[in-house]
Amino acid sequence: MNTGKAVRRLSGLAVVGALALTATACGPDDSSAQSAPSSSATSASAPKGAATPSVPSSAATGSDGASGAGGAGTKAGQTLKMGQAAHVPFSYGTSTKGKIALTVTSIEQGNPSDLASLKLGDQAKGKVPYYIRYSVTNEGDSDLAYASVGHMKGHLGDGTEAQDLMIIGDFDKCKSDELPQGFTKGKVAQGCAVALAPSASTKVVSAEYWGEPFTLGQGITWK
């Protein structure tokens, strides 16, 4: 599989495991936009067999989560404003470790027709895509090239989880590629995650990062 292709997950739908496994076995020249449902909100498939991205267990013991490089670590369960950075230790696979500032910059409502090219059929009927756009800044001394930041979840106005979408291949509306080559201290990259509202009358109003050591519902939230 081309390591530059984004993978995002559609949670809460019935058909899961086999399609998700098939998605990870696509050939290196397969660049078509496809999608597959999944039962979990885990992150992008890893390059060269690396594990999914996570934050080490020592993370999130600091105070305010204010934006800007070098800020204090951000606490589990903390709520930030859009554009405010969470400062967290970061690890990817077994050897890539560092520190990042993660900032959700916006949650944009899409159009149901955006999903047509993904051929989801009845699984997408009535659903409205929202695009959670975020930035990642390398605040540590390690080169984080080719790592991926995942575990980004949308929430509806009543506090319940939105479905997120797993995409194999290119989706121009919401690209979430791995961090680029030479992603050293001070470098910034952009990412995106897709969350699905169940109907046009329901909105995705907040986003939660729940990578380790956080858990879903006790992560870092932007609204």
Side-chain angles (χ1 to χ4, degrees), residues 1-9 23-24 26 42-53 92 146-148 166-167 178:
M1 172 181 283
N2 188 320
T3 60
K5 302 302 181 186
V7 179
R8 295 180 288 279
R9 301 201 178 253
T24 63
C26 62
T42 52
S43 64
S45 64
K48 301 179 181 178
T52 53
Y92 187 80
Y146 309 122
S148 296
M166 171 179 167
I167 297 172
E178 62 195 13

Side-chain angles (χ1 to χ4, degrees), residues 45-46 70 88 98 101 108 111-112 126 130 132 138 162 168 182 196 198 203-204 213:
S45 64
V88 292
E108 300 174 5
N111 192 296
Y130 283 75
I132 301 170
N138 188 344
I168 304 162
L196 298 180
K203 298 183 181 297
V204 175

Side-chain angles (χ1 to χ4, degrees), residues 108-116 127-131 171 173 196:
E108 300 174 5
Q109 182 176 342
N111 192 296
S113 63
D114 295 348
L115 303 174
K127 294 180 173 62
V128 179
Y130 283 75
Y131 306 122
F171 184 46
K173 294 290 185 179
L196 298 180

Side-chain angles (χ1 to χ4, degrees), residues 3 17 27 31 36 47 53 88 105 117 120 124 128 130 152 164 179 183 205 218 221:
T3 60
S31 59
V88 292
T105 55
S117 64
L120 291 170
V128 179
Y130 283 75
M152 190 66 73
D164 38 311
L179 298 175
F183 195 71
V205 299
Q218 285 296 316
T221 300

Side-chain angles (χ1 to χ4, degrees), residues 56 89-99 138 140-144:
F90 176 77
S91 66
Y92 187 80
T94 58
S95 59
T96 302
K97 299 182 185 299
K99 181 181 179 181
N138 188 344
D141 296 325
S142 302
D143 187 346
L144 302 179

Side-chain angles (χ1 to χ4, degrees), residues 52-72:
T52 53
S54 62
V55 181
S57 59
S58 60
T61 57
S63 56
D64 61 3
S67 60

